[in-house]
Amino acid sequence: MRKNSIKNTRVNGEVQRVLAEVIRGEIKDPRISPWASVVAVEVAPDLKNCKAWISVLGGDEEREATLQGLRSAEGFIRRQLAQRINLRNTPEITFVMDQSIEYGVNMSRKIDEVIGDQDDDYYFKK
């Protein structure tokens, strides 16, 4: 199975959906933020490993606590994944913090500040 095959794309999507459901509704760990979301999932072609990018809205402490909570619940999450998706192998899950959403919000804020400054300069020069 090639890395970007249709089957691999479907497996990635299904694993992402199930991970999101399990994290949102079934884990009772207070360390895991209610604002955590699964941004992307990449399952290896041999179905042995899986990287899940997690985004958390909040501060650094919330991100770190959520990552620790997810790592401690990894066995439970993997068991739920095995029960819900019929795969030859249930992949080992590695959680990675994704900061692209925060980066985008920060860049948007900076763009708005620059545009706001330019508008002020335009009106004051007349």
Side-chain angles (χ1 to χ4, degrees):
M1 180 167 63
R2 292 184 320 267
K3 190 171 186 176
N4 292 329
S5 70
I6 294 172
K7 180 180 176 186
N8 198 303
T9 303
R10 286 183 185 162
V11 169
N12 289 343
E14 190 65 18
V15 169
Q16 181 177 354
R17 184 186 65 77
V18 171
L19 280 178
E21 286 177 2
V22 171
I23 290 170
R24 186 177 339 112
E26 297 182 26
I27 298 178
K28 304 296 183 216
D29 193 334
R31 295 178 290 183
I32 298 175
S33 171
W35 298 103
S37 60
V38 181
V39 177
V41 170
E42 184 178 306
V43 179
D46 63 355
L47 303 176
K48 300 262 179 165
N49 298 310
C50 169
K51 273 189 182 179
W53 283 270
I54 307 296
S55 177
V56 178
L57 191 64
D60 288 335
E61 297 93 23
E62 283 187 50
R63 284 189 203 101
E64 193 57 40
T66 298
L67 205 54
Q68 288 175 355
L70 289 173
R71 287 182 181 150
S72 70
E74 201 170 295
F76 173 78
I77 295 170
R78 189 171 181 213
R79 191 167 47 254
Q80 292 298 316
L81 194 64
Q83 289 175 358
R84 295 181 187 195
I85 302 176
N86 185 19
L87 295 173
R88 184 180 308 120
N89 298 316
T90 303
E92 284 282 332
I93 304 167
T94 304
F95 293 103
V96 180
M97 196 53 63
D98 180 52
Q99 305 203 346
S100 62
I101 294 174
E102 180 183 351
Y103 178 77
V105 168
N106 192 19
M107 290 305 290
S108 179
R109 188 177 306 125
K110 288 180 180 182
I111 290 170
D112 289 343
E113 288 174 6
V114 169
I115 290 174
D117 290 346
Q118 287 177 352
D119 288 344
D120 292 343
D121 291 344
Y122 176 77
Y123 292 115
F124 289 124
K125 287 183 180 179
K126 282 187 174 184

